């Protein structure tokens, strides 16, 4: 029963719940709380998946006639039956595969992203227009007419702008764009996005949600917009977003523009904190992590401790 509950919870946390959350409109009123909730859902999904496998393993090691855990597959098959034993083994193997895929995805995404950024950062530093620096040592300006406005996270972080963007913005709008990108760098939104990319790659396609990553990306942009709005003004940020709507960025970077620009500009018109929404989202985040643990994990840990005591 424990394994079944964990399995149902895992499927819900990687499919229906992210789908419902991605369609909701309230996260735009409380992006920080919504981001916390998304992270809680992702972490709970991983923990539930591993707990499913561990619960299955505990069932396979149920006590035999002498009270000691069974470790012989023949005894396990005799006790459980071929069908039940086969289902348990398949689910346990699937859990191990998901865990292995998750670790591989984390390493792969992290390595490739950082290698790509390092190469791009070196190129940016070579072609930087040093004579046009205006606001800080992390600014890099490219002598190109194409609209470019993005940041490169990492230890040697950069905010990259092009002359094409500079020509479109006044002083306040440029300050808003720079503050937006620096907000990404300070909050390390890139690490949050990498975690969701890895999680998306780890779970099988038939259960995972395709909208989770897009929703988290939108929330990261909303959080950066809020920081820029506090440093300048919401109307200033809105004008800057419209001016940079077609700005592009290389892979591994975070651009100020993009397909979500219209949603973000509209959001700035009603940019007001809603404490009740934030409190509810934080409460849900805690509940998603704590309640399943208390309701399901504790009984399973008690049973596992009993089995090990007879070993």
């Amino acid at each position: 029963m424990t394994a079944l509950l964990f399995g149902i919870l895992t499927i819900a946390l990687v499919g229906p719940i992210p789908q419902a959350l991605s369609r909701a409109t309230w996260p735009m009123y409380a992006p920080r709380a919504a981001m916390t909730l998304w992270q809680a859902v992702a972490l709970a999904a991983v923990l539930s998946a591993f707990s499913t496998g561990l619960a299955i393993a505990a069932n396979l090691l149920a006590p035999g006639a002498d009270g000691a855990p069974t470790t012989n597959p023949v005894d396990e098959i005799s006790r459980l039956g071929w069908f039940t034993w086969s289902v348990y083994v398949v689910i346990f193997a699937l859990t191990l595969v998901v865990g292995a895929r998750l670790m591989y995805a984390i390493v792969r995404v992290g390595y490739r992203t950082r290698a790509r950024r390092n190469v791009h950062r070196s190129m940016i530093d070579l072609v930087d227009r040093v004579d046009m620096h205006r606001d800080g040592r992390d600014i890099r300006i490219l002598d190109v007419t194409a609209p470019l406005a993005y940041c490169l996270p990492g230890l040697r972080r950069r905010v990259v702008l092009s002359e094409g963007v500079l020509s479109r913005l006044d002083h306040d709008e440029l300050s808003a764009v720079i503050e937006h990108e620096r907000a990404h760098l300070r909050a390390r939104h890139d690490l949050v996005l990498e975690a969701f990319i890895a999680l998306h790659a780890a779970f099988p396609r038939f259960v995972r949600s395709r909208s989770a990553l897009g929703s988290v990306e939108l929330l990261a942009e909303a959080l950066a917009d809020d920081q820029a709005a506090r440093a300048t003004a919401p109307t200033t940020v809105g004008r800057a977003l419209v001016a940079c709507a077609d700005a592009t960025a290389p892979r591994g970077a975070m651009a100020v523009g993009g397909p979500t620009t219209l949603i973000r500009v509209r959001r700035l018109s009603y940019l007001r904190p809603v404490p009740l929404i934030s409190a509810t989202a934080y409460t849900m985040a805690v509940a998603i992590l704590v309640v399943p643990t208390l309701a399901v994990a504790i009984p399973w840990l008690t049973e596992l401790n009993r089995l090990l005591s007879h070993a």
Side-chain angles (χ1 to χ4, degrees), residues 86 113 217 226 232 272 284 300:
S86 300
T113 300
E217 288 175 343
D226 289 349
T232 56
R272 288 182 296 275
M284 292 172 62
W300 170 75

Side-chain angles (χ1 to χ4, degrees), residues 4 17 49 72 76 90-91 97 105 110 139 183 194 227 236-237 247 263 273 282-283 287:
L4 177 62
I17 291 178
N72 189 328
E76 295 168 1
V90 169
I91 295 177
V97 170
I139 304 294
E194 285 182 22
Q227 288 292 105
T236 302
V237 177
I263 297 174
Y282 285 127
T283 302

Side-chain angles (χ1 to χ4, degrees), residues 2 25 34 39 46 58 62 70 75 99 109 125 138 142 149 165 172-173 210-211 263 265 268 280 292 297:
T2 300
T25 58
Q39 290 174 301
V46 173
T70 57
D75 294 337
V109 171
D125 289 345
D138 60 338
L142 306 182
V165 162
D172 291 340
E173 292 166 357
R210 296 182 179 180
S211 53
I263 297 174
V265 171
L268 289 169
T280 302

Side-chain angles (χ1 to χ4, degrees), residues 1-31:
M1 182 60 68
T2 300
L4 177 62
L5 291 176
F6 270 129
I8 293 174
L9 182 61
T10 301
I11 294 174
L13 289 170
V14 299
I17 291 178
Q19 286 287 356
L21 188 55
S22 66
R23 291 194 296 266
T25 58
W26 66 261
M28 290 293 96
Y29 292 89

Side-chain angles (χ1 to χ4, degrees), residues 201-224:
F203 282 93
R205 293 183 180 181
F206 66 91
V207 297
R208 68 191 182 194
S209 171
R210 296 182 179 180
S211 53
L213 180 58
S215 297
V216 173
E217 288 175 343
L218 177 57
L219 289 174
E221 295 299 333
L223 287 171

